[in-house]
Amino acid sequence: MEQIKIFCPATVANISCGFDVLGLALNNVGDEMVFTKNNSNKLKITKITGADLSTDLKENIVGIVAEAMVEKHKIDFGIDIEIHKKIKPGSGIGSSAASAAGTAFGVNALMGNVFSKKQLIEFAMLGEAFVGGSKVADNVAPALLGGITLIKSYQPFAYFSLPVPAALFVVVVHPQIELKTQDARKILPKQVPMKNAIAQSAHLASFVHALHTNNYKLLGTSLQDFLVEPHRKILIPLFDETKQEALKNGALGGGISGAGPSQFYLCKGKETALKVEQSIATRYQKHNIPAHVFHSEVNREGIYSF
């Protein structure tokens, strides 16, 4: 293989009850990347569109991941990398994760697929650590694998792919502001009350059970965040109003996507998703706050070539 073009999906991380351990992939929303072998024996970022990012390998998440892979598995060729950003950085739907996961996938393909999916996630986590300060996989795992993923542990690293109910849709609203993951983490407390930790654990467990039993009602009531949302929601315009609007129009539940400012709302069926999408868009329009609102099925494939 001399060249591969790939689509890297946007993702929703945390999913309210699973801080740093839950994530899902979105459909039809994501970045595109092109990887081409060269004869210079060097890694190069040759083109970036859609965002003002550095082409310096040491200053770009793509370079961090690619260099780590080449260090682990030596190659006798170089790679030119094009990045076409369609996911706005700082949006809360996995912009950096798409770049990290896409790089792991693309470089591995040109190497002859020498690394396992688990290893690709671990390489992509290095990129997430570079950007966000923490080596987490709740975005990169679903980006690579598709569907809904659960990170069981980070040391040692272990994960599961969870079942996706057939009628599950996601509505995403992105207020047009940027919120960096590192800044959103700084606002979180270092310690939490025991009762909140217990409640969060119970809701995470019931969320996983709801997926396995196709219990949409339980799925919705499990989307509670006792640890992060109370602190981060003050950074997001109209957060409480938007949540009330979504639930009133039939959303199962929802909350902050990743570090924000995007919010997500899970819905049963496309009809409900469209209703929720329109109601949220109208709410932001009434307040003259620019926001991008869209609905999506869950991407069950993850990154793919085209």
Side-chain angles (χ1 to χ4, degrees):
M1 180 181 291
E2 296 298 313
Q3 183 185 80
I4 185 170
K5 300 179 181 179
I6 63 173
F7 172 83
C8 318
T11 47
V12 171
N14 301 333
I15 317 182
S16 293
C17 55
F19 181 61
D20 278 358
V21 299
L22 273 181
L24 63 81
L26 297 171
N27 221 14
N28 303 322
V29 181
D31 292 347
E32 295 176 4
M33 302 180 75
V34 183
F35 300 82
T36 308
K37 288 183 179 179
N38 67 44
N39 296 320
S40 70
N41 290 324
K42 294 181 179 180
L43 297 170
K44 300 177 185 178
I45 300 175
T46 57
K47 187 175 184 179
I48 300 176
T49 65
D52 184 17
L53 301 172
S54 175
T55 58
D56 185 335
L57 294 176
K58 303 296 184 184
E59 298 297 326
N60 192 302
I61 192 171
V62 168
I64 300 299
V65 175
E67 287 192 324
M69 296 177 73
V70 171
E71 182 177 342
K72 187 75 172 180
H73 182 83
K74 303 301 181 184
I75 54 178
D76 59 0
F77 55 88
I79 302 175
D80 293 335
I81 305 173
E82 295 181 23
I83 309 164
H84 302 286
K85 297 297 295 179
K86 306 291 180 69
I87 310 170
K88 188 175 181 180
S91 60
I93 54 172
S95 181
S96 64
S99 294
T103 301
F105 185 98
V107 171
N108 188 49
L110 293 190
M111 286 179 168
N113 295 312
V114 296
F115 295 113
S116 67
K117 287 290 181 66
K118 180 181 177 182
Q119 288 174 308
L120 295 185
I121 295 171
E122 293 178 301
F123 280 124
M125 287 166 59
L126 298 175
E128 287 286 73
F130 172 74
V131 173
S134 298
K135 193 187 291 186
V136 294
D138 50 348
N139 278 117
V140 296
L144 278 160
L145 304 173
I148 302 174
T149 58
L150 170 68
I151 310 304
K152 177 182 178 290
S153 66
Y154 282 101
Q155 293 182 342
F157 179 64
Y159 67 91
F160 296 104
S161 289
L162 301 174
V164 181
L168 193 64
F169 278 76
V170 189
V171 174
V172 175
V173 51
H174 174 209
Q176 296 299 288
I177 59 174
E178 180 178 345
L179 184 56
K180 294 182 179 180
T181 301
Q182 285 182 321
D183 295 335
R185 281 189 179 273
K186 289 176 183 177
I187 202 172
L188 299 180
K190 300 299 182 184
Q191 296 180 326
V192 298
M194 178 69 76
K195 66 177 183 178
N196 289 354
I198 293 171
Q200 191 89 344
S201 298
H203 282 75
L204 174 58
S206 65
F207 178 85
V208 173
H209 179 66
L211 292 178
H212 280 277
T213 56
N214 286 301
N215 189 329
Y216 288 92
K217 183 177 180 180
L218 178 61
L219 191 69
T221 58
S222 300
L223 294 172
Q224 306 293 327
D225 184 352
F226 301 90
L227 304 181
V228 176
E229 185 178 297
H231 305 284
R232 283 183 174 171
K233 69 178 184 177
I234 62 172
L235 303 174
I236 303 171
L238 299 184
F239 177 82
D240 287 330
E241 287 186 41
T242 302
K243 192 169 190 177
Q244 292 172 7
E245 190 72 28
L247 295 174
K248 184 177 71 175
N249 283 278
L252 299 170
I256 301 172
S257 176
S262 288
Q263 302 150 62
F264 79 97
Y265 296 97
L266 300 186
C267 302
K268 182 180 181 181
K270 186 175 181 178
E271 184 177 341
T272 299
L274 288 169
K275 185 179 179 182
V276 171
E277 176 186 339
Q278 184 57 54
S279 67
I280 291 174
T282 300
R283 175 68 61 175
Y284 273 86
Q285 289 167 4
K286 284 182 178 178
H287 287 270
N288 294 314
I289 299 176
H292 179 213
V293 189
F294 63 92
H295 72 277
S296 171
E297 292 182 276
V298 176
N299 176 340
R300 290 164 169 78
E301 183 179 1
I303 296 172
Y304 59 84
S305 61
F306 65 94

